[in-house]
Coordinates of all heavy atoms in Angstrom, one line a residue:
M1 N -3.4 -2.6 18.8 CA -2.4 -3.0 17.8 C -2.5 -2.1 16.6 O -3.6 -1.8 16.2 CB -2.7 -4.5 17.4 CG -1.9 -4.9 16.2 SD -0.2 -5.1 16.4 CE -0.1 -6.7 17.2
K2 N -1.4 -1.6 16.1 CA -1.4 -0.8 14.9 C -0.9 -1.7 13.8 O 0.0 -2.5 13.9 CB -0.4 0.4 15.1 CG -1.0 1.4 16.1 CD -0.2 2.6 16.1 CE -0.8 3.6 17.1 NZ -0.2 4.9 17.2
A3 N -1.5 -1.4 12.6 CA -1.1 -2.1 11.4 C -1.0 -1.1 10.3 O -1.7 0.0 10.3 CB -2.1 -3.2 11.1
T4 N -0.2 -1.4 9.3 CA 0.0 -0.5 8.2 C -0.2 -1.4 6.9 O 0.3 -2.5 6.8 CB 1.4 0.1 8.1 OG1 1.6 0.8 9.3 CG2 1.5 1.1 7.0
V5 N -1.0 -0.9 6.0 CA -1.2 -1.5 4.7 C -0.6 -0.6 3.7 O -1.1 0.6 3.5 CB -2.7 -1.8 4.4 CG1 -2.8 -2.5 3.1 CG2 -3.3 -2.7 5.6
V6 N 0.4 -1.1 2.9 CA 1.0 -0.3 1.9 C 0.4 -0.8 0.6 O 0.5 -2.0 0.3 CB 2.5 -0.4 1.9 CG1 3.1 0.4 0.7 CG2 3.1 0.0 3.2
V7 N -0.2 0.1 -0.2 CA -0.9 -0.2 -1.4 C -0.2 0.5 -2.6 O 0.1 1.7 -2.5 CB -2.4 0.2 -1.4 CG1 -3.1 -0.2 -2.7 CG2 -3.1 -0.3 -0.2
R8 N 0.2 -0.3 -3.6 CA 0.8 0.2 -4.8 C 0.3 -0.4 -6.0 O -0.2 -1.5 -6.0 CB 2.3 0.1 -4.7 CG 3.0 -0.8 -3.9 CD 4.5 -0.8 -4.0 NE 5.2 -0.5 -2.8 CZ 5.4 -1.2 -1.7 NH1 4.8 -2.4 -1.7 NH2 6.0 -0.8 -0.7
L9 N 0.4 0.3 -7.1 CA 0.1 -0.3 -8.4 C 0.9 -1.5 -8.7 O 2.1 -1.5 -8.4 CB 0.2 0.8 -9.5 CG -0.8 1.9 -9.5 CD1 -0.4 2.9 -10.6 CD2 -2.2 1.3 -9.8
K10 N 0.4 -2.5 -9.4 CA 1.2 -3.6 -9.8 C 2.2 -3.1 -10.8 O 2.0 -2.1 -11.5 CB 0.2 -4.7 -10.4 CG -0.7 -5.3 -9.4 CD -1.5 -6.4 -10.1 CE -2.3 -7.1 -9.0 NZ -3.1 -8.2 -9.6
S11 N 3.3 -3.8 -10.9 CA 4.4 -3.4 -11.7 C 4.0 -3.3 -13.2 O 4.6 -2.5 -13.9 CB 5.6 -4.3 -11.5 OG 5.3 -5.6 -11.8
E12 N 3.1 -4.1 -13.6 CA 2.7 -4.1 -15.0 C 1.7 -3.0 -15.4 O 1.4 -2.8 -16.5 CB 2.2 -5.5 -15.5 CG 0.9 -5.9 -14.8 CD 1.2 -6.7 -13.5 OE1 2.3 -6.7 -13.0 OE2 0.2 -7.3 -13.0
V13 N 1.2 -2.3 -14.4 CA 0.2 -1.2 -14.6 C 1.0 0.1 -14.7 O 1.8 0.4 -13.9 CB -0.8 -1.2 -13.4 CG1 -1.7 0.0 -13.6 CG2 -1.5 -2.5 -13.3
L14 N 0.7 0.8 -15.8 CA 1.3 2.1 -16.0 C 0.9 3.1 -14.9 O -0.3 3.0 -14.3 CB 0.8 2.7 -17.3 CG 1.3 2.0 -18.6 CD1 0.7 2.7 -19.8 CD2 2.8 2.0 -18.7
D15 N 1.8 4.0 -14.5 CA 1.6 4.9 -13.4 C 1.8 6.3 -13.9 O 2.8 6.9 -13.8 CB 2.5 4.6 -12.2 CG 2.2 5.4 -11.0 OD1 1.4 6.3 -11.0 OD2 2.9 5.2 -10.0
P16 N 0.8 6.9 -14.5 CA 0.9 8.3 -15.1 C 1.2 9.3 -14.0 O 2.0 10.3 -14.3 CB -0.4 8.6 -15.8 CG -1.4 7.5 -15.3 CD -0.6 6.4 -14.8
Q17 N 0.7 9.2 -12.8 CA 1.0 10.1 -11.8 C 2.4 10.0 -11.4 O 3.1 11.0 -11.2 CB 0.1 9.9 -10.6 CG 0.2 10.9 -9.5 CD -0.8 10.7 -8.3 OE1 -1.4 9.6 -8.2 NE2 -0.9 11.6 -7.5
G18 N 2.9 8.8 -11.2 CA 4.4 8.6 -10.9 C 5.3 9.2 -12.0 O 6.3 9.8 -11.7
D19 N 4.9 9.0 -13.2 CA 5.7 9.5 -14.3 C 5.7 11.1 -14.3 O 6.7 11.7 -14.6 CB 5.1 9.0 -15.7 CG 6.1 9.3 -16.8 OD1 7.3 9.0 -16.6 OD2 5.7 9.8 -17.9
A20 N 4.5 11.7 -14.0 CA 4.5 13.1 -13.9 C 5.4 13.6 -12.8 O 6.1 14.7 -12.9 CB 3.0 13.6 -13.6
V21 N 5.4 12.9 -11.6 CA 6.3 13.3 -10.5 C 7.7 13.2 -10.9 O 8.6 14.0 -10.7 CB 6.0 12.5 -9.3 CG1 7.0 12.7 -8.2 CG2 4.6 12.8 -8.7
R22 N 8.1 12.1 -11.6 CA 9.5 11.9 -12.1 C 9.9 13.0 -13.0 O 11.0 13.6 -12.8 CB 9.6 10.5 -12.9 CG 11.0 10.3 -13.3 CD 11.0 9.1 -14.3 NE 10.2 9.3 -15.5 CZ 10.4 10.0 -16.5 NH1 11.5 10.8 -16.6 NH2 9.5 10.1 -17.5
R23 N 9.1 13.4 -13.9 CA 9.4 14.5 -14.8 C 9.6 15.8 -14.1 O 10.5 16.6 -14.3 CB 8.3 14.7 -15.9 CG 8.4 13.5 -17.0 CD 7.5 13.8 -18.2 NE 6.2 14.3 -17.9 CZ 5.1 13.6 -17.7 NH1 5.2 12.3 -17.7 NH2 4.0 14.1 -17.4
A24 N 8.7 16.1 -13.1 CA 8.7 17.3 -12.3 C 10.0 17.4 -11.5 O 10.6 18.4 -11.4 CB 7.5 17.4 -11.4
L25 N 10.4 16.2 -11.0 CA 11.6 16.2 -10.2 C 12.8 16.6 -11.1 O 13.7 17.3 -10.6 CB 11.9 14.8 -9.6 CG 10.9 14.5 -8.4 CD1 11.1 13.0 -8.0 CD2 11.2 15.3 -7.2
G26 N 12.8 16.1 -12.3 CA 13.9 16.4 -13.2 C 13.9 17.9 -13.5 O 15.0 18.6 -13.6
T27 N 12.7 18.5 -13.7 CA 12.6 19.9 -14.0 C 13.1 20.7 -12.8 O 13.7 21.8 -13.0 CB 11.1 20.3 -14.2 OG1 10.7 19.5 -15.4 CG2 10.9 21.8 -14.5
L28 N 12.9 20.2 -11.6 CA 13.4 20.9 -10.4 C 14.9 20.7 -10.1 O 15.4 21.2 -9.1 CB 12.6 20.5 -9.2 CG 11.1 20.9 -9.2 CD1 10.3 20.2 -8.1 CD2 11.0 22.4 -9.1
G29 N 15.6 20.0 -11.0 CA 17.0 19.8 -10.8 C 17.4 18.5 -10.1 O 18.6 18.3 -9.9
F30 N 16.4 17.6 -9.8 CA 16.8 16.3 -9.2 C 17.0 15.3 -10.3 O 16.1 14.6 -10.7 CB 15.6 15.9 -8.2 CG 15.4 16.8 -7.1 CD1 14.4 17.7 -7.1 CD2 16.2 16.8 -6.0 CE1 14.2 18.6 -6.0 CE2 16.0 17.6 -4.9 CZ 15.0 18.5 -4.9
E31 N 18.3 15.3 -10.7 CA 18.6 14.4 -11.9 C 18.8 13.0 -11.4 O 19.1 12.7 -10.3 CB 19.9 15.0 -12.5 CG 19.7 16.4 -13.0 CD 21.0 17.0 -13.6 OE1 22.0 16.2 -13.7 OE2 21.0 18.2 -13.9
G32 N 18.7 12.1 -12.4 CA 19.0 10.7 -12.2 C 17.8 9.9 -11.6 O 18.0 8.7 -11.4
V33 N 16.7 10.5 -11.4 CA 15.5 9.7 -11.0 C 14.9 9.0 -12.2 O 14.5 9.6 -13.1 CB 14.4 10.7 -10.4 CG1 13.2 9.8 -10.0 CG2 15.0 11.4 -9.2
K34 N 15.0 7.6 -12.1 CA 14.6 6.8 -13.3 C 13.2 6.4 -13.2 O 12.5 6.3 -14.3 CB 15.5 5.5 -13.3 CG 16.9 5.8 -13.6 CD 17.8 4.5 -13.4 CE 17.4 3.5 -14.5 NZ 18.3 2.4 -14.5
N35 N 12.6 6.2 -12.0 CA 11.2 5.8 -12.0 C 10.6 6.2 -10.7 O 11.3 6.2 -9.6 CB 11.2 4.2 -12.1 CG 9.8 3.7 -12.2 OD1 8.9 4.4 -12.8 ND2 9.6 2.5 -11.8
V36 N 9.3 6.6 -10.7 CA 8.6 6.9 -9.5 C 7.3 6.1 -9.6 O 6.6 6.1 -10.6 CB 8.3 8.4 -9.4 CG1 7.4 8.7 -8.2 CG2 9.6 9.2 -9.3
R37 N 6.9 5.5 -8.5 CA 5.6 4.8 -8.4 C 4.8 5.4 -7.2 O 5.4 5.5 -6.1 CB 5.8 3.3 -8.1 CG 6.6 2.5 -9.2 CD 5.9 2.4 -10.5 NE 4.8 1.4 -10.4 CZ 4.1 1.1 -11.4 NH1 4.2 1.7 -12.6 NH2 3.1 0.3 -11.3
I38 N 3.6 5.8 -7.5 CA 2.8 6.4 -6.4 C 1.9 5.3 -5.8 O 1.4 4.5 -6.5 CB 1.9 7.5 -7.1 CG1 2.8 8.6 -7.7 CG2 0.9 8.1 -6.0 CD1 3.6 9.4 -6.8
G39 N 1.7 5.4 -4.5 CA 0.9 4.5 -3.8 C 0.2 5.2 -2.6 O 0.1 6.4 -2.6
K40 N -0.3 4.4 -1.7 CA -0.9 4.9 -0.5 C -0.6 4.1 0.7 O -0.3 2.9 0.6 CB -2.4 5.1 -0.7 CG -3.1 3.8 -0.9 CD -4.6 4.0 -1.3 CE -5.2 2.8 -1.8 NZ -6.5 3.0 -2.4
I41 N -0.6 4.7 1.9 CA -0.4 4.0 3.1 C -1.7 4.1 3.9 O -2.2 5.3 4.1 CB 0.8 4.5 3.9 CG1 2.1 4.3 3.1 CG2 0.9 3.9 5.3 CD1 3.3 4.9 3.7
V42 N -2.2 3.0 4.4 CA -3.4 3.0 5.3 C -2.9 2.6 6.7 O -2.4 1.4 6.8 CB -4.5 2.1 4.7 CG1 -5.7 2.2 5.6 CG2 -4.8 2.5 3.3
E43 N -3.1 3.4 7.6 CA -2.7 3.1 9.0 C -4.0 2.7 9.8 O -5.0 3.4 9.7 CB -2.0 4.2 9.7 CG -0.7 4.5 9.1 CD 0.0 5.7 9.8 OE1 -0.7 6.5 10.3 OE2 1.3 5.7 9.6
I44 N -4.0 1.5 10.4 CA -5.2 1.0 11.1 C -4.8 0.7 12.5 O -3.8 0.0 12.8 CB -5.7 -0.3 10.4 CG1 -6.0 0.0 8.9 CG2 -6.9 -0.9 11.1 CD1 -6.4 -1.2 8.1
E45 N -5.7 1.1 13.4 CA -5.5 0.7 14.8 C -6.7 -0.2 15.2 O -7.8 0.1 15.0 CB -5.5 1.9 15.7 CG -5.1 1.6 17.1 CD -4.8 2.8 18.0 OE1 -4.5 3.9 17.4 OE2 -4.9 2.7 19.2
I46 N -6.3 -1.4 15.7 CA -7.3 -2.5 16.0 C -7.4 -2.7 17.5 O -6.3 -2.8 18.1 CB -6.9 -3.8 15.2 CG1 -7.0 -3.5 13.7 CG2 -7.9 -4.9 15.6 CD1 -6.5 -4.6 12.8
D47 N -8.6 -2.8 18.0 CA -8.8 -3.0 19.4 C -8.1 -4.3 19.8 O -8.0 -5.3 19.1 CB -10.3 -3.2 19.6 CG -10.7 -3.3 21.1 OD1 -10.1 -2.7 21.9 OD2 -11.6 -4.2 21.4
E48 N -7.4 -4.2 21.0 CA -6.6 -5.3 21.5 C -7.3 -6.6 21.6 O -6.8 -7.7 21.3 CB -6.0 -4.9 22.9 CG -4.9 -5.7 23.3 CD -4.2 -5.2 24.5 OE1 -3.9 -4.0 24.6 OE2 -4.0 -6.0 25.4
A49 N -8.6 -6.6 21.9 CA -9.4 -7.8 22.0 C -9.5 -8.5 20.7 O -9.7 -9.7 20.6 CB -10.8 -7.5 22.5
H50 N -9.3 -7.8 19.6 CA -9.4 -8.4 18.2 C -8.0 -8.6 17.6 O -8.0 -8.9 16.4 CB -10.3 -7.5 17.3 CG -11.7 -7.5 17.8 ND1 -12.2 -6.5 18.6 CD2 -12.7 -8.4 17.6 CE1 -13.5 -6.7 18.9 NE2 -13.8 -7.9 18.3
S51 N -7.0 -8.5 18.3 CA -5.6 -8.6 17.7 C -4.7 -9.5 18.4 O -3.5 -9.3 18.3 CB -5.1 -7.1 17.6 OG -4.9 -6.6 18.9
K52 N -5.2 -10.4 19.2 CA -4.3 -11.3 20.0 C -3.5 -12.3 19.1 O -2.3 -12.5 19.4 CB -5.1 -12.1 21.0 CG -5.8 -11.1 22.0 CD -6.0 -11.8 23.3 CE -6.7 -10.9 24.3 NZ -5.9 -9.9 24.8
D53 N -4.1 -12.8 18.1 CA -3.4 -13.8 17.2 C -2.8 -13.1 16.0 O -3.6 -12.7 15.1 CB -4.3 -14.9 16.8 CG -3.7 -16.0 16.0 OD1 -2.5 -15.9 15.7 OD2 -4.5 -16.9 15.5
P54 N -1.5 -12.9 15.9 CA -1.0 -12.2 14.7 C -1.3 -12.8 13.3 O -1.6 -12.1 12.4 CB 0.5 -12.3 14.9 CG 0.7 -12.5 16.4 CD -0.5 -13.3 16.8
K55 N -1.4 -14.2 13.3 CA -1.7 -14.8 12.0 C -3.2 -14.5 11.6 O -3.5 -14.1 10.5 CB -1.6 -16.3 12.1 CG -1.8 -17.0 10.8 CD -1.6 -18.5 10.9 CE -1.9 -19.2 9.6 NZ -2.4 -20.5 9.7
D56 N -4.1 -14.6 12.6 CA -5.5 -14.2 12.3 C -5.6 -12.8 11.9 O -6.4 -12.4 11.0 CB -6.3 -14.5 13.6 CG -7.8 -14.2 13.4 OD1 -8.4 -14.7 12.4 OD2 -8.3 -13.4 14.2
L57 N -4.9 -11.9 12.6 CA -5.0 -10.5 12.3 C -4.5 -10.2 10.9 O -5.1 -9.4 10.2 CB -4.2 -9.7 13.4 CG -4.2 -8.2 13.2 CD1 -5.6 -7.6 13.2 CD2 -3.3 -7.5 14.3
T58 N -3.4 -10.8 10.6 CA -2.8 -10.6 9.2 C -3.8 -11.1 8.2 O -4.0 -10.4 7.1 CB -1.5 -11.4 9.0 OG1 -0.6 -10.9 10.0 CG2 -0.9 -11.2 7.7
E59 N -4.5 -12.2 8.4 CA -5.5 -12.7 7.5 C -6.7 -11.7 7.4 O -7.2 -11.5 6.3 CB -6.0 -14.1 7.9 CG -5.0 -15.2 7.7 CD -5.4 -16.5 8.3 OE1 -6.5 -16.6 8.8 OE2 -4.5 -17.5 8.2
R60 N -7.1 -11.2 8.5 CA -8.2 -10.2 8.5 C -7.8 -8.9 7.8 O -8.6 -8.4 7.0 CB -8.6 -9.8 10.0 CG -9.3 -11.0 10.7 CD -9.7 -10.6 12.1 NE -10.5 -9.5 12.2 CZ -10.4 -8.5 13.1 NH1 -9.6 -8.6 14.1 NH2 -11.3 -7.5 13.1
L61 N -6.6 -8.5 8.0 CA -6.1 -7.3 7.2 C -6.0 -7.6 5.7 O -6.3 -6.7 4.9 CB -4.8 -6.8 7.8 CG -4.9 -6.2 9.2 CD1 -3.5 -6.1 9.8 CD2 -5.5 -4.8 9.1
A62 N -5.6 -8.8 5.4 CA -5.6 -9.1 3.9 C -7.0 -9.1 3.4 O -7.2 -8.6 2.2 CB -4.9 -10.5 3.8
K63 N -7.9 -9.6 4.1 CA -9.3 -9.6 3.6 C -9.8 -8.2 3.5 O -10.5 -7.8 2.5 CB -10.2 -10.4 4.6 CG -11.6 -10.6 4.2 CD -12.3 -11.6 5.1 CE -13.8 -11.7 4.8 NZ -14.2 -12.1 3.5
M64 N -9.5 -7.3 4.5 CA -9.9 -5.9 4.4 C -9.3 -5.3 3.1 O -10.0 -4.5 2.4 CB -9.4 -5.1 5.6 CG -10.1 -5.4 6.9 SD -9.2 -4.3 8.1 CE -9.7 -5.2 9.6
S65 N -8.0 -5.6 2.9 CA -7.3 -5.0 1.7 C -8.0 -5.5 0.4 O -8.2 -4.7 -0.5 CB -5.9 -5.4 1.8 OG -5.3 -4.9 2.9
D66 N -8.2 -6.8 0.3 CA -8.9 -7.4 -0.9 C -10.2 -6.8 -1.1 O -10.6 -6.5 -2.3 CB -9.0 -8.9 -0.8 CG -7.7 -9.6 -1.1 OD1 -6.9 -9.1 -1.8 OD2 -7.5 -10.7 -0.6
E67 N -11.0 -6.5 -0.1 CA -12.4 -6.1 -0.2 C -12.6 -4.6 -0.3 O -13.6 -4.1 -0.8 CB -13.2 -6.7 0.9 CG -13.4 -8.2 0.7 CD -14.3 -8.8 1.8 OE1 -15.0 -8.1 2.5 OE2 -14.2 -10.1 1.9
M68 N -11.6 -3.8 0.3 CA -11.9 -2.4 0.3 C -10.6 -1.5 0.1 O -10.7 -0.5 -0.6 CB -12.5 -2.0 1.7 CG -13.1 -0.6 1.6 SD -13.0 0.1 3.2 CE -13.1 1.8 2.7
L69 N -9.5 -1.8 0.7 CA -8.4 -0.9 0.7 C -7.6 -0.9 -0.6 O -7.0 0.1 -0.9 CB -7.4 -1.3 1.9 CG -8.1 -1.3 3.3 CD1 -7.0 -1.7 4.3 CD2 -8.6 0.1 3.6
A70 N -7.7 -2.0 -1.3 CA -6.9 -2.0 -2.6 C -7.8 -2.6 -3.7 O -8.8 -3.3 -3.4 CB -5.7 -2.9 -2.4
N71 N -7.5 -2.2 -4.9 CA -8.2 -2.8 -6.1 C -7.3 -4.0 -6.5 O -6.3 -3.7 -7.2 CB -8.4 -1.8 -7.1 CG -9.0 -2.3 -8.4 OD1 -9.1 -3.5 -8.6 ND2 -9.5 -1.4 -9.3
P72 N -7.7 -5.2 -6.2 CA -6.8 -6.3 -6.5 C -6.5 -6.5 -8.0 O -5.6 -7.3 -8.4 CB -7.5 -7.6 -5.9 CG -8.9 -7.1 -5.7 CD -8.9 -5.7 -5.6
V73 N -7.3 -5.9 -8.9 CA -7.1 -6.0 -10.3 C -5.8 -5.3 -10.7 O -5.0 -5.7 -11.6 CB -8.3 -5.5 -11.1 CG1 -8.0 -5.5 -12.6 CG2 -9.5 -6.4 -10.8
I74 N -5.6 -4.1 -10.1 CA -4.5 -3.3 -10.5 C -3.5 -3.0 -9.4 O -2.4 -2.4 -9.7 CB -4.9 -1.9 -11.1 CG1 -5.7 -1.1 -10.1 CG2 -5.8 -2.2 -12.4 CD1 -6.0 0.3 -10.5
E75 N -3.8 -3.3 -8.2 CA -2.9 -3.0 -7.1 C -2.5 -4.2 -6.2 O -3.2 -5.2 -6.1 CB -3.6 -2.0 -6.1 CG -3.9 -0.7 -6.7 CD -4.8 0.2 -5.8 OE1 -5.7 -0.3 -5.2 OE2 -4.4 1.4 -5.7
D76 N -1.3 -4.1 -5.7 CA -0.8 -5.1 -4.7 C -0.7 -4.4 -3.4 O -0.7 -3.1 -3.3 CB 0.7 -5.5 -5.1 CG 0.7 -6.4 -6.3 OD1 -0.2 -7.3 -6.4 OD2 1.7 -6.3 -7.0
Y77 N -0.7 -5.1 -2.3 CA -0.6 -4.5 -1.0 C 0.3 -5.4 -0.1 O 0.6 -6.5 -0.4 CB -2.0 -4.4 -0.3 CG -2.7 -5.7 -0.1 CD1 -2.5 -6.5 1.0 CD2 -3.6 -6.2 -1.1 CE1 -3.1 -7.7 1.1 CE2 -4.2 -7.4 -1.0 CZ -4.0 -8.2 0.2 OH -4.6 -9.4 0.3
E78 N 0.8 -4.7 0.9 CA 1.7 -5.4 1.9 C 1.2 -5.0 3.3 O 1.0 -3.8 3.6 CB 3.1 -4.9 1.7 CG 4.1 -5.4 2.7 CD 5.5 -4.7 2.5 OE1 5.7 -4.0 1.5 OE2 6.4 -5.0 3.3
V79 N 1.0 -6.0 4.1 CA 0.5 -5.7 5.5 C 1.7 -5.8 6.5 O 2.5 -6.7 6.4 CB -0.5 -6.8 5.9 CG1 -0.9 -6.7 7.3 CG2 -1.8 -6.7 5.0
K80 N 1.8 -4.8 7.3 CA 2.8 -4.7 8.3 C 2.2 -4.5 9.7 O 1.4 -3.6 9.9 CB 3.8 -3.5 8.1 CG 4.5 -3.6 6.7 CD 5.3 -2.4 6.5 CE 6.0 -2.4 5.2 NZ 6.9 -1.2 5.0
L81 N 2.5 -5.4 10.6 CA 2.0 -5.3 12.0 C 3.0 -4.5 12.9 O 4.2 -4.7 12.8 CB 1.7 -6.6 12.6 CG 0.7 -7.5 11.8 CD1 0.5 -8.8 12.5 CD2 -0.7 -6.8 11.8
G82 N 2.4 -3.8 13.9 CA 3.3 -3.1 14.8 C 3.5 -1.7 14.6 O 3.1 -1.0 13.7

């Protein structure tokens, strides 16, 4: 089973890297870009024996995200199965 965890900064957290990309896009002629938020995508492949129950798997991935993949103080995450 493949899963994807999308991690992004919480909306109330400033994103200086995203702001730098937004400004650079304008410099390159890509006008009208109002906001850029930088994040990361973590792709995980889980052994079939450990992925039979989608609810349990989603809970396990959320625990992984809380404990290691994301910083819950400043980041949100979204788990996608499949």
Side-chain angles (χ1 to χ4, degrees):
M1 166 71 78
K2 290 188 180 184
T4 303
V5 179
V6 179
V7 181
R8 17 179 119 75
L9 287 172
K10 291 183 177 183
S11 59
E12 63 271 15
V13 175
L14 295 176
D15 186 355
Q17 187 178 10
D19 194 46
V21 169
R22 181 192 55 76
R23 288 191 315 272
L25 288 170
T27 301
L28 293 171
F30 296 101
E31 298 175 9
V33 178
K34 292 174 68 174
N35 190 27
V36 175
R37 302 290 288 179
I38 301 296
K40 60 187 169 192
I41 296 175
V42 181
E43 294 177 337
I44 301 171
E45 191 166 339
I46 299 174
D47 186 38
E48 196 170 310
H50 294 95
S51 62
K52 296 206 184 287
D53 179 6
K55 184 179 179 211
D56 178 58
L57 180 57
T58 301
E59 289 172 1
R60 287 179 58 219
L61 288 162
K63 186 170 172 57
M64 287 180 204
S65 298
D66 281 334
E67 292 183 12
M68 195 212 159
L69 302 177
N71 178 344
V73 174
I74 62 169
E75 295 174 317
D76 287 324
Y77 60 86
E78 177 184 354
V79 174
K80 300 178 183 181
L81 300 178

